[in-house]
């Protein structure tokens, strides 16, 4: 029977630490979140970001733009936020409408305010050098592994999914932490043969029921990133068959209540980190994941 990794409680404890640290700074850390269109999932995420900012004592600004907004208008708002000294982090909720180039928008955010770490300069820093902030889901997973003293160094880490937001940076982070990393994706021929090797198995494919117990090594740590909404019940499920896999794994995340709250907490931590850099209270090289 696996230990259930309690992301919800851990995230609450991290948020408390962040609030205490933020209260000692000369000004409030600030986050600006831009949302385009009215996707319900995006709205929920942006609402939560606003709530989390309030809980951490941060300044927050929110822009709700219609789906018809032009790329130029959006670039204009980002330009203003880049120049606004009260704003430490700028994020644009993805996905954007097809009429807008996500790459162009992400690259318009000033790298020093790139709180999601999606800008190519941030990605380059993750690969080569010191990155002050990492994307929130990978750093949330690393924080959870650390909190439960699950070592990464020397372990076989299998990442199922290679998205720009989750899979790719997660693999990079595990590599930086001396894991031996295997990336699996749609073209992987024998997924089970790969996942069975994993000491740490991280799954972000968006396929409910993808990971069955026969695909998991006894004693593995299993991290389920997915949030699949059951259209019939509205309930969320992950990609891992939780009830059966928990009998075989030594650690497992629940969905919801595992990776999701950690992701939210790491966004707040990233805002705090950028704020400290902007206030001259930290050097970029001081902070490394
Ligand atoms: P997210 O944003 O949660 O990471 P995406 O939908 O952007 O999710 O990416 C899904 C990833 O999962 C892709 O990299 C894809 O190759 C991978 N994937 C999807 N289905 C499978 C599958 N059956 N086996 C292995 N990998 C898969």
């Amino acid at each position: 029977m696996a230990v259930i990794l309690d992301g919800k409680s851990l995230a609450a404890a991290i948020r408390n630490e962040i609030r205490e640290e933020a209260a000692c700074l000369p000004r409030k850390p600030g986050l600006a979140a831009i949302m385009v269109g009215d996707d319900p999932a995006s709205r929920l995420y942006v609402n939560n970001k606003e709530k989390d900012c309030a809980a951490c004592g941060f300044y927050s600004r929110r822009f709700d733009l219609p789906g018809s907004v032009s790329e130029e208008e959006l670039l204009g708002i980002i330009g203003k936020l880049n120049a606004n000294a009260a704003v430490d982090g700028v994020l644009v909720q993805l996905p954007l409408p097809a009429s807008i180039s996500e790459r162009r928008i992400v690259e318009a955010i000033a790298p020093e305010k790139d709180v999601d770490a999606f800008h190519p300069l941030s990605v380059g820093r993750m690969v080569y050098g010191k990155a002050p902030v990492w994307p929130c889901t990978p750093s949330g997973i690393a924080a959870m592994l650390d909190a439960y003293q699950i070592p990464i160094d020397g372990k076989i880490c299998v990442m199922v999914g290679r998205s720009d937001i989750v899979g790719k940076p997660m693999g990079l982070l595990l590599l930086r932490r001396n894991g031996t990393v295997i990336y699996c994706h749609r073209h992987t021929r024998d997924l089970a043969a790969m996942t069975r090797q994993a000491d740490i198995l991280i799954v972000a494919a968006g396929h409910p029921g993808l990971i069955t117990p026969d695909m998991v090594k006894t004693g593995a740590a299993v991290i389920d990133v997915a949030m699949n909404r059951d259209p019939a019940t509205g309930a969320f499920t992950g990609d891992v068959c939780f009830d059966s896999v928990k009998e075989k794994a030594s650690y497992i995340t629940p969905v919801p209540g595992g990776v999701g709250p950690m992701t939210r907490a790491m966004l707040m931590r990233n805002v705090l980190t950028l704020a400290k850099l902007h206030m001259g209270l930290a050097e970029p090289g001081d902070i490394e994941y």
Side-chain angles (χ1 to χ4, degrees):
M1 214 354 223
V3 171
I4 312 289
L5 299 172
D6 184 357
K8 200 174 168 191
S9 305
L10 191 54
I14 293 171
R15 250 196 316 277
N16 280 337
E17 284 169 22
I18 292 171
R19 192 186 49 233
E20 281 172 19
E21 202 177 335
C24 301
L25 296 177
R27 66 163 171 82
K28 288 183 175 190
L31 174 69
I34 304 173
M35 127 146 217
V36 180
D38 54 8
D39 175 61
S42 292
R43 189 170 300 283
L44 174 70
Y45 293 145
V46 174
N47 287 347
N48 284 340
K49 286 165 189 178
E50 233 183 345
K51 257 192 242 165
D52 290 342
C53 279
C56 291
F58 292 178
Y59 164 70
S60 74
R61 281 194 68 180
R62 171 179 179 156
F63 296 80
D64 283 282
L65 307 174
S68 59
V69 73
S70 72
E71 206 170 282
E72 299 313 316
E73 281 172 89
L74 188 49
L75 289 170
I77 293 171
I78 293 171
K80 282 193 186 134
L81 293 170
N82 284 344
N84 182 342
V87 171
D88 296 292
V90 176
L91 77 80
V92 178
Q93 187 66 43
L94 301 179
L96 289 171
S99 56
I100 297 177
S101 157
E102 278 187 3
R103 270 287 125 208
R104 206 169 159 215
I105 296 304
V106 165
E107 292 184 21
I109 294 171
E112 67 275 13
K113 297 196 177 185
D114 180 29
V115 71
D116 272 328
F118 296 159
H119 190 284
L121 190 65
S122 304
V123 179
R125 285 181 175 142
M126 287 175 223
V127 176
Y128 293 120
K130 300 204 169 194
V133 299
W134 281 73
C136 300
T137 301
S139 58
I141 292 169
M144 190 153 53
L145 294 173
D146 291 345
Y148 283 86
Q149 297 177 338
I150 301 167
I152 300 170
D153 200 309
K155 299 295 176 187
I156 298 180
C157 306
V158 176
M159 179 67 236
V160 180
R162 55 165 171 183
S163 70
D164 291 344
I165 293 174
V166 178
K168 267 185 214 160
M170 186 74 239
L172 283 175
L173 194 158
L174 294 163
L175 184 64
R176 290 291 300 268
R177 299 280 302 271
N178 300 326
T180 299
V181 181
I182 300 172
Y183 279 103
C184 300
H185 45 78
R186 260 181 249 276
H187 296 255
T188 299
R189 286 211 193 112
D190 187 350
L191 181 63
M194 300 296 142
T195 58
R196 270 198 291 269
Q197 298 180 58
D199 300 308
I200 299 174
L201 176 59
I202 305 182
V203 191
H207 278 239
L210 180 66
I211 304 297
T212 48
D214 56 299
M215 298 169 77
V216 176
K217 182 160 101 176
T218 301
V222 180
I223 310 293
D224 193 345
V225 183
M227 283 287 260
N228 307 303
R229 198 186 181 98
D230 183 328
T233 63
F236 287 105
T237 57
D239 288 348
V240 176
C241 297
F242 180 84
D243 289 332
S244 47
V245 170
K246 82 172 190 307
E247 301 302 326
K248 207 168 173 193
S250 55
Y251 297 94
I252 191 166
T253 56
V255 176
V259 175
M262 292 301 293
T263 298
R264 286 172 59 179
M266 290 303 113
L267 179 68
M268 297 300 110
R269 200 176 72 176
N270 284 358
V271 175
L272 178 68
T273 300
L274 294 181
K276 288 198 313 200
L277 288 169
H278 296 152
M279 291 176 206
L281 299 171
E283 292 293 322
D286 287 351
I287 308 154
E288 189 187 11
Y289 216 84

